Amino acid sequence: MLRVTIHLELHDGIALTTLDRGLDTATCAELVLKLEEADAAGARAVVLTGTGDTFSPGVDLARLTEGGARYAEEFLPTLSDALLAVFGFPHPVVAAVNGTALGAGLVLAAACDHRVAADGDGRLGVPDLLVGVPFPLAALEILRCAYGTTPLPALAYSGATLTVADALARGLVDEVVPAGELATRAHEMAARLATLPTEAFAHTKAQLRQPYHERIAENRVADDAHVEHLWGTESTLAAVKSAVDNG
């Protein structure tokens, strides 16, 4: 029996979607299904959040070290599909960033329409390149859409993990609230966005994101193959294992 790693609750037309582990093949596939379930249930908006003090730690690197190159080949398309399911969801999606959001976890937040972060000790960033695992094209285009092209090199090349205050200053999140107010504020924002005319919102969102979807559609196949190769090399897997072993 598969372990449920994403929980979905519908309240007043707002679907609260909660992740409780890092991103692996099963979790990514489940996220796609949960969003389809929310849409089918008539959700007018989605709040995406994590558990405890972690929004999402990103890719489950331990699973990558266990599965090696074959797992990377299986996982990466599923990761892109999950990120694009959030990015392309026709209704408003609000990220309630309850703590740390790293790598693909930050991309998940970037894929949302609005990002509310809890004040606290959480860290945000994309340190993946430090261990030799470049993002698939879908992830980079989502970051480009949310944050613009100019900030991306510094964000990706440095691998820096920022405090919540620094993340706000650099535009990685839209607002910061006390941790105890996060759920309420995210629900309020989702409810406000949900009052916009549904079809008009969906069309406007699609218009805003069309150039990024087009670049992904045009280049994803070739780029994904190269990324899969880079993830599966012996040197990359050794670097990932070292990072996992060193915590």
Side-chain angles (χ1 to χ4, degrees), residues 139-177:
L140 280 177
E141 288 300 321
I142 289 169
L143 290 173
R144 190 193 311 276
C145 178
Y147 306 135
T149 298
T150 302
L152 283 187
L155 190 65
Y157 298 162
S158 70
T161 58
L162 307 176
T163 65
V164 174
D166 286 342
L168 177 64
R170 293 178 63 168
L172 301 188
V173 297
D174 298 300
E175 55 181 303
V176 174
V177 299

Side-chain angles (χ1 to χ4, degrees), residues 17-18 41 49 52 57 59 92 96 98 102 106 109 117 121-122 141 154 182 210 223 225 228 236:
T17 307
T18 306
T49 194
V59 173
N98 54 297
L102 296 177
L106 182 61
D121 297 327
E141 288 300 321
L182 178 67
Q210 181 177 350
D223 188 75
E228 288 166 16
T236 297

